């Protein structure tokens, strides 16, 4: 289908290899006739592991969405803390989906309580706060941590599979999780292996987000398109990324 | 696409005319190659307006989903209180979507707080309880009631349009709603008119649910398929609908 | 006392032996002059262990309460998930008490936090959801599971006593429970043994419910008796139990 | 019944006329064979309208319950902020019921959401906090205030009846209350008049509390009787009321 | 600075040795020119370990604050359950700070989640309830208990240091606490030792409270000074402490 | 005091005139011997009125705090949405205070429920979300909006005073607020006028934040100084502000 919709994934970090993996994962969930592609944001950290990383990622992600506004029908922020999600929704005239939110919205439709698997102890409170802010605190069975570096967690192999399978088993058996979410973009693909060995669904958040973006497109309603309350007047912004001054701010030295 | 997926909508009440409207609404959101059809449940009340109506509807809906288990790839419970949703998810080997849950999951991706429009004062506390149970209490701007009988609310025409438009304006202006949900299957189609005259998205929950059902199908994961914790042993059930005794219970006099 | 009030217990399942046990437990808490009896509902599953079981039980329970409306002064739904409670309260002109709700209302008056003892791992999330929906999430010390089949848990004997005593000790010592609730109708009677060996009160929910039903009768106020918002017009219902069409619906083929 | 149980009501304030009214209200809900009487505490303010009043009332109430420990089978704290409730439960070997808690526990069994009627604007945030602390925030329809002095509100007559009837109508019609609670001991008796003119139950909290006290007695379980965690060692207390030093503390100058 | 502000600490118990320790801790956080002193209340228990202790302490604390109203610029209630806090704020014309509330307000500004260290298992549910009532349930990492008597916990020495250090490590490593609060006035001073050996801040609540009291003084605004809604008319109070009848009540026999 | 502590305020926007006003307000609350100064961040929007403005402001604020890390003893983020607060706390070795959080922490110590006054309808849901995320949802009396442009609201004069006084009166009388917070940096100074005419305290959040920063300094504990969980390894960041690459990231093209 030549004129089919285009869903654009924005990597939250600036590591091109991760962008490639995100694109592959996204395409695996693309419906017939839908184009899925991924880009690296113009600015931001190499990985997103801290609040400060997230703040910098949010600006890069918003700049990318502003710059590509006419180039896609829907946007997916492909980073599990959903950096810049509310800000992008505010100015974008097309739907914006966050992979963490999308994964949770999917999980609650598949089971009672979901478990999160993350490679980093540091992210545990961040993830719990995210779950709470989306209203799903009562649906969280728990967060299971595999204490691996992000770099190590990004490399497929039997050791990684085994470590996450163990964590998944704990989530299922001890925490009572009825669905699992792989809380990290670098884990894409692992859900197939895990789902084959666990009695519950295992979700890749990137796939969930592509599916949600398409779901929003099916409804054919732009977001907040005419609600002038949502977007303030164009104003000066110092040191603003050029992608944002092009449309949303006036540049200022 | 001949072998495309089939999404089956189950009307929550036993009024065939409503089933027809549900099928039309559902088809309007069907992606290319997807078959959408609607059926009336084998038992249940003519309309769902009370807790008791909801209990009877739940059994009828579950019976229909059990009977059609092999005939569809995903199921949508098309009644705004989502009768039987958790029960159907428990036994169904294919995804089951509720239109109220689907509409709320959609709304929170399109704006900060959503408003509900309902024709019935009696349903206000029921709707508030539903919002709360899904975790979205903080996202509810309010419930606006148009005090019309369900029968009257089911008839399109300028008076109905005007009454709901007024309610939508109050939700937007007074309650601060950034998205509206038409909380009732009989209102299908009205969202187009309202969206044309209000500066915020207006959602038909049936369309949202079809889109969500397709989103779940894109992920290709059966629900809780092997988790034996979820489904108890087959046991005797007295006076059980034949659709349920056929597979899930043993009949008993 | 010949003209004393009559409290009718409705078993949630259709196993007559359980009805007998429920009646015994209820009579043990009956005040002087009060008649307590128990009946098996006209339809429903042999045991209630799943959401679907609960949906079927709810209809059977409501049918029984509708049929016995003039035969009793108050009704108790004797099944720990309180199936059909809100629906029965909606149409019944006499008080309706649920044993789970009654047990929790009692427990919070006897101690800070209560623990639940259940024979089934599968019921843990169901019980937690029930506690939350009644507003007592902050009062729940925890759910202790004794992994026995319901059938086994229904048979008194030293092994059962010991298993539940261990679970009760964990609830008291590890979870900090100050009151225990036996979360299951088949455990009736065990509370006496446990209370003799633990330093905290142990509640049988059936007794709690009989006491609550009598408490409501003492107030002499019918429930929602004239509030026409609560009950919709009599309407058609297909495949409706005869007990419900007799008074609340019009039968329809 | 000569040896029937004795329920003792403790007025929260030191105004004997209010104690008389409390005793009358309590007796109106007493089951056959049960003795209900009321006493004025040995110390405390003439009315309870502030946090400081409540602190002083709590000590007086606890002193009374300690002094009468052997003279009654159950105690009711008859003051709508339940002063000293948790403290009294801690040391009392017999059940202690608070009228506010008892009224709310009753209300949620009779309808979806309850409304509170109070004569004093100052008490509104106190009442809302109390509702929240008992876990019933989601069940509160609202607080309706009749701006009368407590003294005026304590005098029966057509003006009082009319004022509270108006407030009750607002609670029912505007707030959606399905049950009403008279939030104040001085309003005892008014519930009969209001219930006759409103389509929903109207609860006198004193009656509710007597019924709850009897419900706890029916269960035959002492409160926390052997749990040594609950009560600390006997220790010195300076300026302690003699009723408390007699049993619970050592006097100290 | 002769005319500098005076912050008065009120010990919650009547043990003079504890008052001395409180004064020392408070002075260690006093800003230049600020006078900090501590007094023992005129009445109350020797230690505060139960709800009843807390009720008696509240009256003693309020009496002290009423009696010293003109003698200080701000008051600190130096007992970790904040007895009498809301009551004292109601009548005091100068700021009143509670050490538990102050410690939590400080902790949330220093880290994501805080842990509480307490010497007493009995206090665990009390502390959890306090955290909840202040709105910080989501910020509590956990309560770690060192099972020592209060008397033992009050004696500095290597065994005490080691026991609390172990508890602090569990809070940091297992519960994920990013800040620790010593939940007890008898632990004053221990925070220096612990902070030297743990990688996270450790807070003495008395110091936090002195700092908060000074912060309120810097704003130069009296509390609720003219809001007549807050304080009721002067009324009779029987057996009222002389400090309270001197200003806030009329004495009555 | 020459070597006294230095509290540095970071304006959230890049309008120098607002920075001047912030410095004046901050100095008005500075304790003796404490230096208070304010700076404009190196980048960001001219005003902060939207989520996107907030994201850009957060980066500018964090850059300023990183650059001034050695130049001050504590930092205040002087913008009512607290942009970058959690991120700055993560890397800063000195305390970081947000004016919104500080104002709320102050307000709850001065009264039961607080009201917020804001000049902008658009900010209402943002403010409500902020209150909720800090745990004070139960303490919020309401948000009163004065529908003025930010520019107009920044100009002192009798019309502004009158408009905000009216809003304050509504908050006090209708919403039951016991304390008011001026939710905007441009309103600094107005709290004196309002406090003179209303019976409740009125808080300028900048003053509150300076007082809180000093309170944290009095405790003498660095934030999370050695907890390596909080701060990830130094990593590459593309297009990162030079203030951040200087210390926290490696620059990357």
């Amino acid at each position: 289908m030549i004129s089919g919709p285009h869903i654009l994934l924005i990597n939250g970090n600036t590591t091109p290899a991760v962008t490639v993996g995100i694109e592959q994962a996204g395409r695996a969930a693309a419906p017939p006739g839908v184009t899925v592609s991924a880009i690296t944001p113009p600015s931001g950290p190499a990985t997103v592991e801290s609040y400060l990383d997230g703040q910098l990622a949010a600006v890069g992600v918003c700049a990318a969405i502003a710059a590509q506004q006419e180039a896609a029908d829907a946007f997916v922020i492909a980073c599990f803390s959903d950096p810049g999600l509310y800000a992008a929704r505010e100015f974008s005239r097309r739907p914006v989906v966050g992979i963490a939110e999308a994964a949770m919205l999917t999980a609650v439709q598949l089971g009672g309580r979901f478990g999160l698997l993350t490679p980093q102890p540091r992210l545990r409170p961040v993830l719990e706060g995210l779950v709470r802010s989306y209203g799903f605190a009562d649906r969280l069975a728990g967060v299971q941590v595999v204490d691996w570096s992000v770099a190590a967690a990004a490399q497929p192999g039997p050791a990684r599979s085994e470590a996450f399978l163990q964590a998944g088993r704990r989530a299922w058996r001890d925490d009572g999780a009825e669905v699992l979410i792989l809380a990290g973009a670098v884990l894409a693909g692992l859900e197939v292996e895990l789902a084959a060995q666990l009695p519950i669904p295992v979700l890749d958040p990137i796939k969930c987000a592509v599916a949600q973006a398409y779901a929003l497109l099916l409804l054919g309603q732009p977001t907040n398109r005419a609600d002038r309350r949502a977007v303030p007047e164009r104003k000066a912004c110092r040191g603003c990324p050029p992608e944002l001054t092009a449309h949303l701010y006036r540049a200022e030295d």
Side-chain angles (χ1 to χ4, degrees), chain A:
Chain A
M1 194 189 290
I2 291 172
S3 58
H6 178 202
I7 296 172
L8 183 62
L9 314 183
I10 321 293
N11 182 4
N13 65 45
T14 50
T15 303
V18 175
T19 308
V20 171
I22 286 168
E23 191 168 271
Q24 285 173 340
R27 284 183 175 162
V34 174
T35 303
V36 170
S37 61
I39 59 171
T40 304
S43 66
T47 60
V48 177
E49 303 166 280
S50 67
Y51 283 110
L52 184 59
D53 289 346
Q55 295 283 10
L56 292 162
V59 172
V61 162
C62 287
I65 292 175
Q68 304 292 325
Q69 189 66 206
E70 303 303 323
D73 298 286
F75 300 92
V76 167
I77 300 177
C79 178
F80 203 81
S81 57
D82 294 346
L85 182 60
Y86 291 148
R89 279 183 182 155
E90 195 177 48
F91 69 77
S92 176
R93 290 179 306 283
R94 284 117 203 268
V96 182
V97 170
I99 65 168
E101 190 183 52
M104 296 182 207
L105 299 178
T106 303
V108 297
Q109 294 186 82
L110 293 176
R113 293 195 300 168
F114 59 83
L116 295 176
L117 302 190
T118 176
Q120 291 185 279
R122 179 187 295 132
L123 291 179
R124 194 181 165 149
V126 177
L127 294 175
E128 290 172 347
L130 202 62
V131 169
R132 217 155 39 222
S133 81
Y134 290 147
F136 295 126
D138 292 341
R139 305 296 287 271
L140 178 66
V143 179
Q144 285 288 343
V145 176
V146 174
D147 200 347
W148 283 37
S149 76
V150 173
Q155 302 302 324
R160 182 180 85 152
S161 298
E162 184 57 27
F164 278 87
L165 181 59
Q166 296 296 346
R169 257 198 205 112
R170 292 195 302 270
W172 169 66
R173 197 191 47 215
D174 302 343
D175 297 344
E178 299 169 32
V179 191
L180 292 181
I181 296 173
L182 296 176
V186 299
L187 304 173
L190 197 53
E191 81 281 4
V192 178
E193 284 177 70
L194 265 64
Q197 296 183 70
L198 289 169
I200 52 176
V202 183
L203 301 177
D204 170 28
I206 296 167
K207 288 183 181 171
C208 295
V210 166
Q212 288 296 320
Y214 187 64
L216 296 179
L217 288 174
L218 284 174
L219 301 177
Q221 293 222 12
T223 60
N224 259 341
R225 81 231 102 96
D227 188 2
R228 284 306 86 200
R229 293 183 302 190
V231 188
E233 298 293 301
R234 197 165 176 178
K235 70 182 74 160
C237 184
R238 185 180 301 165
C240 196
E243 296 84 358
L244 294 174
T245 44
H247 298 291
L248 298 163
Y249 291 95
R250 287 184 285 105
E252 188 203 17
D253 305 317

